[in-house]
Amino acid sequence: MSDISKRKLKLKVSAIKEGTVIDHIPAPFLFKVIAILGLDKIKNQITFGTNLESVKLGSKAIIKVSDKFFRNDEINKIALIAPHANLNIIKNYEVVEKKIVEIPNEIKGIVKCINPQCITNHEKVTTCFKVVATNPISLKCKYCEKLTIGEQIRIQ
Amino acid sequence: MKKDLISITDYSKEEYLKIMRLAAEFEENPDQDLLGGQVVATLFFEPSTRTRLSFETAINRLGGKIIGIADPGSSSAAKGESLHDSIRMVSQYANLIVMRHPLDGAARYAAEVSPVPVINAGDGSNQHPTQTLLDMYSILKTQGTLDNLNIFMVGDLKYGRTVHSLLMAMSAFKNPIFNFISPAELQMPNEYKIYLREKNIRYFEHREFSDIISEADIIYMTRVQKERFSDPIEYEQVKNAYVLRNAMLEKTKPNLRILHPLPRVNEIHTDVDTNEKAYYFNQALNGVYTREAIIAHTMNLK
């Protein structure tokens, strides 16, 4: 690809007038993030790039959503899979605010309970966990009361 | 708001004490027509004759009527009905649901679905709070207090839900000391040790079931189950190392009482049965009074 077309592409992707840019998403979780935020169900213009080079993550993904501003409780849902994600809020082509995601106290849905004998793995029950520790992330199931910790965390 | 009893920690210390007080009242006077014909559903999605009979006796003594499932093989669940649907249906018929289920967390879920209160009679390996309250009542009755007790827990401390719940409940009282005696494979899980450390409660771990029991006020025995071991040879070695025999009780304190959630297999030798320190059979009867107390509290009848 020539330098000119590279620049063109870059321009095309980054040019959002109003909206939110979510950066530093681990590349393997891009589509999970899209699903968790419900971006596959809205009509807004969305562009994303994935497998981009990142010093911090190895390979990262980025999502740009026009005319969409997330509430903190919405965006914090992705904290489990994209703890280093940050948000740039764009108004009139300018970054007016930067945000980082924070792990919420309670996580509804999203995560699967590690316990195969848990009711949530046998019936259509929305999982619900209390975050009891953050390093490593330890989730206590509201139903079976067992802990799902760190690398055991599986996204539904 | 309805008062479900799903997990032992759903109750405050005040509620523990209220249940203890009510259980003593029901022991004095077990037949009280407080339910006045209200319908209680006893749903045993997993068979447990002992617990079911104890609950049904309690309900009968309170003047309630019983509908229920005793044999899960013939129930709608066997035909593939979801727990959600079973509870939706039954909660329209009954004023209270007592439920036993093989899956962890089933009771909490049932309580969410049901508009009438739910009492958990055991959900998988998770919780069995009415057992814990009857254990506490047995301790209170035999020791005269729930404070300053040295409690020994013996056997399977890893999977034994009764010991976990009892540990958490007794932690609400003054200066308990816990002694855990188990094989390494079945030791008390870390999360409970962390729980005790955070509350500055003293505990000690032992591998050998020896004369350290001379310090005990309560010995809580549990069954070491064969299916917990991946190596059958290990089970054979461990099985006989955690058996209580009458001769071991010689130097123990006079107030010591031995508890066991029953059924026992061989972990308490039958020669202990006639010792006045053996309390496990009386403990079972306390279950009826305690469950009367729990039902009366749940239904706002006392």
Side-chain angles (χ1 to χ4, degrees):
Chain A
M1 201 187 285
S2 73
D3 276 359
I4 295 170
S5 54
K6 251 188 199 165
R7 209 178 302 136
K8 256 191 182 166
L9 181 68
K10 193 167 185 239
L11 256 176
K12 206 170 163 189
V13 175
S14 46
I16 65 170
K17 189 182 176 206
E18 306 273 323
T20 306
V21 176
I22 310 168
D23 198 0
H24 292 106
I25 299 163
F29 290 129
L30 169 65
F31 292 98
K32 290 280 183 199
V33 168
I34 289 173
I36 290 168
L37 295 176
L39 300 181
D40 49 349
K41 295 186 182 69
I42 59 172
K43 297 268 188 260
N44 305 42
Q45 280 191 10
I46 300 170
T47 49
F48 62 80
T50 187
N51 298 326
L52 309 171
E53 273 177 40
S54 162
V55 179
K56 211 161 41 180
L57 300 171
S59 72
K60 69 166 186 177
I62 185 165
I63 305 174
K64 306 184 180 197
V65 193
S66 290
D67 304 312
K68 172 83 186 166
F69 303 97
F70 296 93
R71 294 191 316 271
N72 285 349
D73 63 320
E74 281 181 290
I75 203 72
N76 286 342
K77 285 183 187 173
I78 70 169
L80 282 181
I81 54 170
H84 302 293
N86 56 36
L87 275 71
N88 291 305
I89 317 297
I90 314 284
K91 296 221 165 132
N92 202 17
Y93 300 105
E94 299 274 337
V95 177
V96 294
E97 194 188 343
K98 284 178 178 283
K99 277 190 201 173
I100 51 167
V101 297
E102 280 172 25
I103 294 164
N105 297 326
E106 191 183 83
I107 291 167
K108 277 196 174 144
I110 306 170
V111 177
K112 191 173 144 55
C113 180
I114 186 79
N115 174 11
Q117 285 299 103
C118 179
I119 185 76
T120 60
N121 288 316
H122 293 262
E123 265 194 41
K124 278 189 191 145
V125 184
T126 307
T127 60
C128 184
F129 300 88
K130 210 168 127 190
V131 180
V132 292
T134 51
N135 191 23
I137 296 176
S138 306
L139 307 177
K140 187 173 186 179
C141 176
K142 174 186 175 184
Y143 296 97
C144 75
E145 306 182 19
K146 301 278 184 297
L147 292 176
T148 300
I149 301 168
E151 289 179 356
Q152 297 173 334
I153 294 172
R154 294 280 172 278
I155 306 301
Q156 281 179 335
Chain B
M1 223 175 83
K2 66 188 176 107
K3 286 187 208 141
D4 303 302
L5 175 58
I6 306 304
S7 182
I8 191 67
T9 49
D10 290 354
Y11 277 3
S12 62
K13 184 179 177 183
E14 288 65 41
E15 282 174 302
Y16 295 150
L17 292 171
K18 180 183 172 187
I19 298 297
M20 299 300 107
R21 183 170 55 75
L22 291 180
E25 263 182 58
F26 284 114
E27 182 161 6
E28 283 285 300
N29 180 13
D31 294 300
Q32 299 187 38
D33 186 16
L34 295 169
L35 284 170
Q38 288 194 78
V39 175
V40 181
T42 54
L43 307 180
F44 279 66
F45 294 102
E46 168 186 83
S48 172
T49 309
R50 189 182 305 276
T51 304
R52 185 171 58 81
L53 291 181
S54 175
F55 263 110
E56 293 188 352
T57 305
I59 295 160
N60 275 302
R61 292 201 178 279
L62 290 171
K65 293 185 172 157
I66 296 163
I67 58 169
I69 308 168
D71 173 17
S74 65
S75 77
S76 53
K79 295 176 191 156
E81 188 183 45
S82 67
L83 177 61
H84 174 273
D85 291 5
S86 302
I87 296 296
R88 281 295 293 273
M89 189 243 337
V90 171
S91 61
Q92 297 183 77
Y93 299 161
N95 304 97
L96 169 69
I97 293 174
V98 173
M99 187 180 93
R100 171 102 164 195
H101 199 281
L103 292 174
D104 304 346
R108 181 75 64 196
Y109 180 56
E112 271 180 12
V113 172
S114 168
V116 303
V118 174
I119 295 174
N120 182 7
D123 63 326
S125 67
N126 184 33
Q127 286 274 337
H128 191 4
T130 64
Q131 174 73 45
T132 306
L133 287 158
L134 87 83
D135 292 341
M136 289 166 82
Y137 182 58
S138 300
I139 294 172
L140 178 62
K141 253 179 81 174
T142 58
Q143 306 298 319
T145 176
L146 291 169
D147 296 324
N148 307 309
L149 294 173
N150 193 337
I151 300 168
F152 279 63
M153 296 175 163
V154 185
D156 178 358
L157 306 185
K158 184 175 181 187
Y159 299 100
R161 64 182 173 194
T162 53
V163 293
H164 301 156
S165 299
L166 185 62
L167 177 155
M168 294 177 92
M170 291 305 294
S171 297
F173 297 90
K174 271 185 218 141
N175 303 320
I177 301 174
F178 292 100
N179 280 279
F180 305 134
I181 305 178
S182 74
E185 299 84 347
L186 297 177
Q187 65 176 319
M188 186 59 75
N190 258 331
E191 52 190 293
Y192 296 101
K193 291 188 240 169
I194 292 168
Y195 179 85
L196 293 176
R197 281 205 291 272
E198 280 173 356
K199 293 188 149 242
N200 284 320
I201 293 171
R202 280 175 295 167
Y203 69 85
F204 305 93
E205 290 187 280
H206 318 272
R207 293 284 164 261
E208 273 181 42
F209 196 12
S210 61
D211 52 9
I212 46 167
I213 59 171
S214 62
E215 301 293 315
D217 297 306
I218 291 290
I219 296 179
Y220 197 98
M221 296 294 299
T222 63
R223 200 150 39 105
V224 173
Q225 295 178 57
K226 195 175 182 177
E227 57 268 29
R228 304 298 188 200
F229 287 82
S230 49
D231 181 354
I233 299 167
E234 226 163 302
Y235 167 72
E236 291 304 322
Q237 286 169 347
V238 159
K239 184 177 74 171
N240 298 317
Y242 299 91
V243 175
L244 183 64
R245 292 186 172 79
N246 200 34
M248 295 163 72
L249 295 171
E250 232 166 72
K251 288 184 182 144
T252 54
K253 289 166 78 171
N255 65 306
L256 167 71
R257 291 296 176 272
I258 298 144
L259 305 186
H260 189 302
L262 302 183
R264 83 169 148 184
V265 184
N266 71 332
E267 58 279 4
I268 302 177
H269 195 280
T270 49
D271 70 7
V272 179
D273 293 358
T274 49
N275 193 311
E276 58 172 13
K277 293 172 182 173
Y279 194 73
Y280 28 94
F281 293 117
N282 314 57
Q283 187 185 352
L285 178 61
N286 289 337
V288 173
Y289 310 131
T290 311
R291 290 181 172 113
E292 286 190 76
I294 293 163
I295 293 168
H297 173 65
T298 302
M299 301 304 282
N300 297 315
L301 301 168
K302 284 264 186 186

